[in-house]
Amino acid sequence: MRSIWNGAISFGLVSIPIKLVNATESHSVSFRQIHAEDGGRIRYKKVCELDGEEVPPAEIGRAYEEGDGTMIPVTDEDLAALPLPTAKTIEIVAFVPAGEIDPLQMDAAYYLSANGVPAAKPYTLLREALKRSDKVAVAKYALRGRERLGMLRVVDDVIAMHGLLWPDEIRAPEGVAPETPVSVRDAELDLADALMATLGEVDIHGLHDDYRTAVEEMIAAKAEGGEGVQAPEPGEEQGGGQVIDLMAALENSVRAAREARGEDAVVTELKPRGKPAPAETAPKKRTARKTTTAKTATAGKRSAAATKTAKEPKGPKGTTTKEPTTKATSTASPSPTPRKKAPARKRSA
């Protein structure tokens, strides 16, 4: 493998000459931009915005742009003059448990190769010390014109280094978690545990990029004069829909995972631990409420009718109770008693 950086690991007073090589490579299919009408390649030219002329790479420099658009040129000599002790050194600053490194900080991965025969002994010493301590080394190094943070650990018989983001480059997860309070039942957690136990064991080396395989097959078919892959018919389920019944979705997931592994697909449906009310109880309660409401409305109508009867002049047939009858009688027609008293008042006068 071709090295991308040569330097040394600084381990106290021990210096280990090493070469840095990439530990990963991309297998994704890349595309070119073309002119859709004639298939011609679309290429970019680096043009100076002042004179409109294309600039060759040898004449291209760098600059820092301020907020107002002012460009401050920065040369290679300016950067070389900066005090950067890690320019050619991976300086180990501490040894910590691997659990203290937040995976969010991890960036690119590299292999550190001993550079020359004299480097084999100190290289092996550091490797075995890392193995026995069960720790990782936190280091500072410089690559591509800037100082970076790294983590050294052992992979098989090789020291690997993961580039780390600086702590202030990790964003806080503000506003990411669901804002609506949600409660999860024990039965749902039990099913989630069952699904995790079913999916938990997998050979990581057996996983592959299905999309990349489909892209390569499509390109091969088109290269042979075919039409590629047919698009899915409208209406076919593409997945990603909203889960309505979480319990049913978990049970089906466990069943499907076990069937895919050739295991017994029997899934014990877990019922909620609380005892929900029977399905018939709710309608009865609603009926009772409706009956009560109907009775109240009927009573109100009767009361209104009684009041109306009391106000309007009606005969005894229109009364329903003793109290309304008395009021209705005194209101509708004069009683015999007042007719007897009237002459008495005249005689005394």
Side-chain angles (χ1 to χ4, degrees):
M1 290 184 283
R2 185 175 63 88
S3 64
I4 61 173
W5 183 89
N6 292 341
I9 300 175
S10 175
F11 178 30
L13 297 178
V14 178
S15 181
I16 310 171
I18 56 96
K19 294 185 295 184
L20 192 70
V21 298
N22 284 318
T24 62
E25 58 185 358
S26 176
H27 290 164
S28 61
V29 180
S30 59
F31 299 99
R32 302 290 188 184
Q33 290 186 331
I34 62 171
H35 189 192
E37 293 185 1
D38 55 20
R41 282 280 306 275
I42 302 297
R43 299 183 182 275
Y44 293 94
K45 295 182 179 181
K46 296 184 178 181
V47 179
C48 177
E49 65 179 12
L50 296 180
D51 57 18
E53 297 293 331
E54 185 177 357
V55 181
E59 298 180 10
I60 297 177
R62 64 169 65 89
Y64 175 81
E65 183 179 3
E66 292 189 328
D68 58 357
T70 302
M71 295 293 182
I72 301 177
V74 178
T75 65
D76 293 338
E77 291 74 15
D78 294 332
L79 296 176
L82 295 176
L84 189 59
T86 57
K88 286 293 181 180
T89 304
I90 298 176
E91 181 182 353
I92 296 178
V93 297
F95 293 89
V96 300
E100 293 188 8
I101 304 298
D102 190 342
L104 285 174
Q105 288 185 255
M106 292 190 180
D107 199 2
Y110 309 94
Y111 289 136
L112 304 182
S113 172
N115 192 2
V117 176
K121 180 65 178 287
Y123 183 95
T124 305
L125 173 64
L126 177 59
R127 183 191 66 195
E128 296 303 316
L130 288 171
K131 283 184 178 180
R132 190 168 70 171
S133 67
D134 199 21
K135 293 183 178 181
V136 297
V138 177
K140 295 170 65 177
Y141 67 103
L143 184 64
R144 299 186 180 95
R146 55 167 293 201
E147 189 170 57
R148 303 168 188 262
L149 195 64
M151 178 191 74
L152 277 63
R153 69 184 183 98
V154 178
V155 177
D156 295 334
D157 289 331
V158 176
I159 299 176
M161 182 174 70
H162 295 268
L164 299 178
L165 299 174
W166 296 98
D168 59 359
E169 293 179 320
I170 305 298
R171 305 169 95 184
E174 296 178 356
V176 179
E179 297 180 357
T180 304
V182 177
S183 60
V184 179
R185 295 179 295 173
D186 290 340
E188 295 169 339
L189 285 174
D190 293 340
L191 275 174
D193 290 341
L195 180 58
M196 291 169 62
T198 305
L199 300 176
E201 297 180 1
V202 64
D203 182 10
I204 194 70
H205 300 288
L207 302 178
H208 60 278
D209 189 347
D210 294 328
Y211 178 77
R212 187 187 78 200
T213 302
V215 170
E216 292 172 346
E217 291 175 354
M218 178 267 294
I219 293 174
K222 293 179 71 69
E224 295 176 359
E227 297 182 356
V229 182
Q230 294 293 331
E233 294 294 333
E236 290 186 9
E237 296 184 0
Q238 299 298 316
Q242 183 180 3
V243 176
I244 303 300
D245 190 339
L246 184 58
M247 290 289 289
L250 288 170
E251 291 170 354
N252 293 335
S253 299
V254 174
R255 184 180 294 106
R258 289 179 177 175
E259 289 177 352
R261 291 174 175 272
E263 300 176 3
D264 186 4
V266 177
V267 179
T268 303
E269 297 184 359
L270 302 179
K271 303 298 183 183
R273 298 190 178 183
K275 294 183 179 180
E280 299 179 357
T281 304
K284 288 183 178 180
K285 288 184 178 179
R286 286 196 295 270
T287 304
R289 285 198 296 269
K290 290 182 180 179
T291 304
T292 305
T293 305
K295 288 182 179 180
T296 305
T298 304
K301 289 180 180 179
R302 290 177 180 176
S303 177
T307 304
K308 184 176 181 181
T309 304
K311 289 183 180 180
E312 295 179 359
K314 289 185 179 180
K317 292 182 180 180
T319 60
T320 55
T321 59
K322 291 183 179 181
E323 184 176 354
T325 303
T326 304
K327 291 182 180 180
T329 304
S330 60
T331 304
S333 61
S335 62
T337 304
R339 287 198 297 269
K340 290 181 180 181
K341 289 183 179 180
R345 284 196 297 271
K346 290 182 180 180
R347 287 194 298 271
S348 61

